[in-house]
């Protein structure tokens, strides 16, 4: 099972870690569309970045529709930026959840490119509180990361899982999607 894959100029890696500890150009937050902070990885990122200053930055931005992303400073985190991506709530697969999740990844990559970033780390967007089936979310994440890797603008893309089980699921999806 692949936990690291080298495409031309870009590496895609699946790791187990607390995303707030990573030293990359940007970490992605699994945010809600009000950018209001919350539980899960969103809560961890707000706490580690400095909740007051990050909340103020999010309030200045306002809302972010599902499938889109917005960028703020990293504040107290060891990253330049936080990209707040809004994944869909899983409602059984009948409300375009697959495309909305793919769009959340694509929007994040578009912001990374616009800010000339080289390294980015994603959590397993939508698979916690939002209830997206993990295998299915991992396949979408792997596909979008491989597409971004092939675009060649980034040097390293990290899928940062919070448990060994999730890491195995995302690594299996990366292996499968990378196999011709
Ligand atoms: N580092 C990496 N991954 C983490 C961390 C961490 N520190 N903490 C949790 N995870 P979730 P969602 C994993 O629920 O499903 C919030 O309230 C977690 O184990 O954080 O997109 C927002 O405000 C899971 O695998 O995000 C929204 O309202 C993954 O991150 C809502 O939750 C995503 O789980 C978003 O729900």
């Amino acid at each position: 099972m692949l936990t690291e894959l080298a495409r031309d100029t870009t590496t895609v890696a699946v790791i187990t870690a607390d995303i707030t500890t990573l030293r990359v150009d940007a970490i992605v937050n699994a945010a809600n569309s009000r950018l209001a902070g919350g539980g899960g990885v969103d809560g961890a990122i707000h706490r580690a970045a400095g909740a007051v200053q990050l909340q103020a930055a999010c309030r200045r931005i306002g809302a972010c529709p599902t499938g889109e992303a917005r960028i703020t400073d990293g504040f107290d985190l060891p990253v330049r930026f936080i990209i707040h991506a809004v994944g869909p709530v899983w409602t059984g697969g009948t409300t375009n959840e697959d495309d909305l999740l793919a769009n959340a990844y694509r929007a994040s990559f578009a912001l990374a490119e616009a800010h000339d970033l080289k390294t980015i780390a994603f959590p397993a967007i939508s698979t916690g509180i939002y209830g997206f089936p993990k295998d299915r979310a991992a396949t979408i994440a792997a596909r979008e990361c491989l597409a971004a890797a092939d675009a060649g603008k980034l040097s390293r893309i990290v899928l940062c899982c919070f448990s060994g089980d999730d890491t195995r699921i995302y690594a299996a999806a990366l292996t499968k999607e990378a196999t011709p």
Side-chain angles (χ1 to χ4, degrees), residues 17-19 30-32 37-42 44 123-131 160 162 166:
D18 174 349
I19 202 166
N32 57 64
V41 70
D42 195 3
I125 300 174
S126 280
T127 65
I129 293 162
Y130 280 179
C160 176
F162 206 41
D166 285 358

Side-chain angles (χ1 to χ4, degrees), residues 100-166:
L100 289 167
L101 184 59
N103 288 347
Y105 281 89
R106 284 180 205 167
S108 301
F109 285 124
L111 281 171
E113 185 178 341
H115 289 79
D116 206 22
L117 308 186
K118 295 295 168 213
T119 56
I120 187 170
F122 289 87
I125 300 174
S126 280
T127 65
I129 293 162
Y130 280 179
F132 206 113
K134 290 181 178 183
D135 286 336
R136 192 162 170 150
T139 298
I140 292 165
R143 198 176 292 152
E144 295 308 321
C145 289
L146 289 169
D150 286 339
K153 302 281 196 302
L154 292 156
S155 62
R156 187 169 175 84
I157 301 168
V158 177
L159 288 167
C160 176
C161 296
F162 206 41
S163 71
D165 283 349
D166 285 358

